[in-house]
Amino acid sequence: RRFALLHQDVLRLISLAPIALFLLPCAAWMPLVLLTAWLSQGSASKSWSATMDSFVQKRVLDLLFGTFCAAVQLFTVRELAMGRRPSPGDALRGGVQWWGRIIVVQLWSWLRVCIGAIFFIIPGIILGIRYLLANHVVVFEGLIGNSALKRSGCYWCGAGW
């Protein structure tokens, strides 16, 4: 589809469920942004191990909050695609329902991308791109774990990946 049509689709979705698609994720991300800024404060003067601890803390927070926001948004888009208009409470409950499954897929994805990056950087980049749609596969198709990653890779077949 042309970019203008996709842009119209996104605006239509946001207008149908602005709280679930925009306000809830922003409200969840704001404390995370403030917390990560506080964690990295003065990182230039920290030792290498303290900087790595801060990096790990940020990734854990991203894994928890980022996947929850993605789960809420993907659940809301799925419900809208099925012709239902979820309330903010429904969106949160749906996000909680899919949250654990998305975390599992993210961990598997990160592990594979890191292993790919160890073998030069290009394989890690290729795997990262192949697994971009894994969260969507979890919510829209109900697949979990390795099968969601394989299915995400199938969507990129024929696209040069």
Side-chain angles (χ1 to χ4, degrees):
R1 298 183 67 168
R2 291 186 14 232
F3 180 76
L5 292 176
L6 291 174
H7 184 72
Q8 290 172 357
D9 289 345
V10 168
L11 290 177
R12 184 181 59 79
L13 283 175
I14 290 175
S15 69
L16 289 174
I19 293 174
L21 288 173
F22 185 70
L23 294 178
L24 288 176
C26 288
W29 273 106
M30 184 56 74
L32 177 67
V33 169
L34 294 174
L35 184 60
T36 55
W38 178 73
L39 287 173
S40 63
Q41 197 172 33
S43 63
S45 62
K46 290 182 182 177
S47 67
W48 185 83
S49 62
T51 302
M52 284 307 297
D53 288 344
S54 175
F55 176 78
V56 170
Q57 290 168 351
K58 288 179 188 179
R59 297 299 70 82
V60 169
L61 289 172
D62 184 44
L63 176 68
L64 296 176
F65 287 104
T67 54
F68 180 70
C69 290
V72 169
Q73 290 176 323
L74 289 171
F75 175 80
T76 302
V77 169
R78 187 187 83 168
E79 292 297 300
L80 290 171
M82 296 171 109
R84 298 187 285 254
R85 292 185 73 174
S87 69
D90 292 338
L92 287 173
R93 281 188 289 280
V96 168
Q97 173 188 354
W98 294 102
W99 191 18
R101 297 174 189 153
I102 289 177
I103 288 176
V104 169
V105 168
Q106 283 296 307
L107 290 173
W108 275 109
S109 173
W110 288 356
L111 176 67
R112 290 178 178 194
V113 169
C114 287
I115 290 172
I118 289 171
F119 298 105
F120 306 107
I121 293 182
I122 303 301
I125 293 171
I126 291 171
L127 289 174
I129 291 170
R130 285 181 56 94
Y131 299 148
L132 280 175
L133 298 174
N135 292 346
H136 301 76
V137 169
V138 169
V139 176
F140 287 97
E141 298 182 20
L143 299 174
I144 59 172
N146 195 32
S147 57
L149 294 175
K150 286 181 182 177
R151 183 71 171 158
S152 175
C154 289
Y155 284 119
W156 293 102
C157 289
W161 302 103

